[in-house]
Amino acid sequence: MSSAAQPTDPAAAATQAAAQQAAAATMLQFTIEAWTLLGVGILVTILRTYARIKAVGLRRLQADDYLVWLGVTFYAVETSLAYSVGAVAKGLANNGMTDEQRINLSPDSEEYQTRVTGSKIQIAGWSSYSVLLWALKASLLVFYMRLTTGLARTYLIRIYIGFGLLIASFIAILMNLYLACRPFNRYWQINPDPGNVCQPAVSNQVIWVYLSMNVITDLYLISIPVPMLWQSSLKPAKKFGLIILFSGGLFVVACAILRCALIVTDPVNGAQLAGSWAVRETFVAVVTTNLPMIFPLFKMWLGPILGSLLTTVRSQQKLTDKESRSDLRTFGGGSHQSWRRRGGPPTANPITNITFNESEERMVDDVKMQDLKGWTDTSTNGSLPSNNIRKHVEVEVVSEERDAPEDNRRPVVGDEENQQGHGNYSFARGPRRSSYTGHSRT
């Protein structure tokens, strides 16, 4: 008797039909998501290769440029296997069964063969997952070797340690996958129960070993460029942007942890969850690995667009500022100290409102305010400094007494040497004539 036998109860039949419809809708959604992510991942890799060829040429591509294509190839294999978990194996494997169901399931039944096929797909999925992720990690290490060329030897030593860690962890996960369950055919055994270790979709040993090795290697890869960027003399905004760019492995770690948590907490649907989250995790890994290479390409493409947009915004801001300008001062108007450099205090009634006509506004736009300097005394060198604004005022006060003798000269303020006894001259009441002549030169 097969556990997939159709129930005779109408209510149970309706429930099973609804469950099948829900499973079909979920499968359709996952199919669209999985192949879309694969297409985006391939496109990102193509852009990375294009950027590298544009930068160094086809013949000067390095090992990391080929390793990413090895990773993308196995990403396509993994996506196909994840699709097969739902399309071929119906989300079934040798897990999520009671002992009674295992006994009653005939080896000749369709469900039995489906579960065997599903278990084998899971093993192939773990294998492609291993090659994919570790190929991407190796490509990052090769990239770091180029990135640290000419720097201290300590960075190169850390990269060599990273290669050793990758090789050791890759051997560990493969040995754990292929040697944990012995004999190997127990991985698709249905009856008797082979135990959790031999259930590849939900095996705790397989899951936790993969998770630990994945997290350790990703964190070590992040620890190579981040300290170098942190100690650099880059501007803070650019420094933190690059740190975030090279810390993309944290998203891969988060996806791996979430994937393992979902599989462990739901052993019945573990096979379908394993395939779904494997595709999402590896997609994030493909994008974050290639992002440092394609970021300059996006910057080059979007630079003119963003530059034009920024120029437009600044122009609009200038127009807004001119329209709302209500408190303008003369050139150099500012702090109290600036007036002292000009040789005198501000006037008692400073100008606070000035309306420029069109030509004056153009003149103001052509003058760079940072190039204007306060007037300085030029008596020492006899020349005027360039790009300065200077105002020179000459004042002469002349006074004459009507009753004075004709040969009596007119005293002039500031001519003390020729005044003979008129050392303290002041304006006196009476019949005097005073005149003011002012000469202004700007």
Side-chain angles (χ1 to χ4, degrees):
M1 176 180 178
S2 172
S3 62
Q6 297 293 331
T8 57
D9 187 2
T15 302
Q16 185 174 0
Q20 291 177 351
Q21 292 179 356
T26 302
M27 182 61 193
L28 177 61
Q29 181 181 0
F30 169 72
T31 301
I32 297 174
E33 178 187 3
W35 294 109
T36 301
L37 293 180
L38 176 61
V40 175
I42 294 175
L43 177 61
V44 168
T45 308
I46 293 174
L47 289 177
R48 176 237 171 84
T49 305
Y50 170 76
R52 288 285 294 153
I53 294 175
K54 187 177 180 63
V56 301
L58 180 61
R59 296 184 178 181
R60 298 185 62 184
L61 294 178
Q62 302 296 322
D64 57 320
D65 301 312
Y66 299 103
L67 284 171
V68 292
W69 278 106
L70 176 63
V72 168
T73 301
F74 278 90
Y75 179 31
V77 173
E78 182 196 48
T79 302
S80 301
L81 292 172
Y83 172 77
S84 300
V85 168
V88 177
K90 311 300 181 183
L92 301 176
N94 62 346
N95 59 287
M97 301 177 66
T98 64
D99 292 337
E100 182 180 358
Q101 289 174 334
R102 293 179 185 276
I103 295 173
N104 294 331
L105 185 61
S106 172
D108 298 328
S109 65
E110 181 181 358
E111 181 182 347
Y112 188 97
Q113 298 300 324
T114 301
R115 288 184 177 275
V116 170
T117 303
S119 300
K120 293 179 180 180
I121 292 175
Q122 292 294 328
I123 298 173
W126 281 113
S127 302
S128 62
Y129 174 86
S130 307
V131 179
L132 161 60
L133 285 186
W134 265 253
L136 296 178
K137 296 174 194 289
S139 71
L140 276 178
L141 284 177
V142 177
F143 169 61
Y144 291 161
M145 290 185 68
R146 294 202 314 270
L147 190 66
T148 57
T149 301
L151 298 180
R153 184 175 175 80
T154 54
Y155 291 107
L156 188 60
I157 294 175
R158 296 180 65 181
I159 293 174
Y160 288 153
I161 295 175
F163 278 114
L165 181 61
L166 281 188
I167 294 173
S169 58
F170 186 70
I171 294 174
I173 59 175
L174 291 184
M175 290 183 65
N176 177 69
L177 177 63
Y178 296 132
L179 301 179
C181 181
R182 305 303 299 171
F184 192 73
N185 59 2
R186 290 186 63 195
Y187 265 130
W188 51 85
Q189 177 177 303
I190 305 298
N191 186 42
D193 188 354
N196 178 266
V197 175
C198 294
Q199 297 174 6
V202 294
S203 174
N204 289 331
Q205 181 173 333
V206 172
I207 292 172
W208 292 115
V209 170
Y210 267 93
L211 177 63
S212 59
M213 294 294 102
N214 196 12
V215 171
I216 291 173
T217 51
D218 280 340
L219 293 180
Y220 185 83
L221 292 177
I222 295 172
S223 70
I224 296 176
V226 169
M228 178 180 61
L229 294 172
W230 183 261
Q231 297 172 3
S232 66
S233 58
L234 297 172
K235 293 181 180 180
K238 189 173 184 180
K239 179 187 297 187
F240 286 110
L242 289 175
I243 289 176
I244 294 174
L245 185 65
F246 283 97
S247 300
L250 293 177
F251 295 99
V252 182
V253 171
C255 290
I257 294 175
L258 182 60
R259 173 195 184 192
C260 293
L262 290 174
I263 294 175
V264 171
T265 55
D266 190 0
V268 176
N269 300 315
Q272 189 66 43
L273 290 174
S276 302
W277 279 99
V279 169
R280 294 163 187 157
E281 178 187 349
T282 50
F283 168 75
V284 175
V286 169
V287 173
T288 54
T289 301
N290 292 310
L291 195 57
M293 296 296 182
I294 64 176
F295 182 77
L297 188 64
F298 286 149
K299 186 177 180 181
M300 180 183 66
W301 285 347
L302 299 179
I305 300 176
L306 296 179
S308 301
L309 180 61
L310 184 60
T311 302
T312 304
V313 172
R314 287 178 176 175
S315 300
Q316 294 294 335
Q317 184 65 31
K318 279 187 176 182
L319 293 175
T320 304
D321 292 343
K322 288 179 181 180
E323 293 174 356
S324 62
R325 186 178 297 171
S326 60
D327 188 12
L328 299 178
R329 295 185 179 180
T330 57
F331 288 148
S335 63
H336 178 68
Q337 290 77 2
S338 63
W339 284 100
R340 291 182 176 177
R341 290 194 299 269
R342 288 168 174 80
T347 60
N349 299 304
I351 300 175
T352 57
N353 293 287
I354 298 178
T355 302
F356 293 119
N357 58 30
E358 183 180 357
S359 61
E360 288 170 336
E361 288 181 351
R362 291 177 181 174
M363 179 186 70
V364 172
D365 290 338
D366 293 337
V367 176
K368 296 181 179 180
M369 300 302 296
Q370 62 269 24
D371 293 337
L372 298 179
K373 301 178 181 179
W375 177 82
T376 56
D377 189 7
T378 60
S379 59
T380 57
N381 51 20
S383 62
L384 292 174
S386 60
N387 297 330
N388 284 355
I389 295 179
R390 181 170 181 255
K391 184 174 183 179
H392 180 70
V393 179
E394 295 180 359
V395 179
E396 181 182 4
V397 179
V398 180
S399 178
E400 179 183 3
E401 294 184 2
R402 291 183 178 180
D403 298 335
E406 294 180 359
D407 58 346
N408 199 9
R409 298 191 309 173
R410 294 178 299 179
V412 180
V413 175
D415 194 12
E416 289 83 358
E417 295 181 358
N418 300 322
Q419 288 178 7
Q420 297 179 355
H422 297 277
N424 295 323
Y425 184 86
S426 62
F427 294 104
R429 297 179 181 178
R432 286 195 182 94
R433 178 174 58 88
S434 299
S435 64
Y436 167 83
T437 60
H439 303 279
S440 176
R441 184 177 59 186
T442 58

